[in-house]
Amino acid sequence: MINLLLIAESVVKNLPNAEKYAHIVQEMNGMIAKHNQYIRDEGRDLPEVENWKWEGLK
């Protein structure tokens, strides 16, 4: 999950008018911090990460 967030952050930061999307980067950084803290506290991934399943495109 963190790798995908870091890739998404890089994409957002390289968009034209990237400052317009700073809130998206802040949200992603918040999610990474939440995930890291949960791992430290619980010793495993967040439930939404641990239980994620690929459902394919509709």
Side-chain angles (χ1 to χ4, degrees):
M1 177 174 150
I2 291 176
N3 288 338
L4 293 176
L5 289 173
L6 293 174
I7 292 168
E9 179 182 351
S10 177
V11 168
V12 171
K13 285 181 172 180
N14 286 289
L15 289 171
N17 299 317
E19 65 280 351
K20 180 177 168 181
Y21 306 103
H23 66 283
I24 295 171
V25 172
Q26 289 175 334
E27 187 175 331
M28 287 186 284
N29 287 336
M31 189 60 157
I32 290 170
K34 176 184 171 186
H35 188 222
N36 288 339
Q37 187 61 52
Y38 189 89
I39 290 170
R40 280 192 290 279
D41 294 344
E42 303 296 327
R44 59 189 174 95
D45 279 328
L46 286 164
E48 59 259 42
V49 174
E50 198 169 273
N51 300 324
W52 182 85
K53 290 184 172 82
W54 178 262
E55 296 189 17
L57 301 174
K58 295 180 181 182

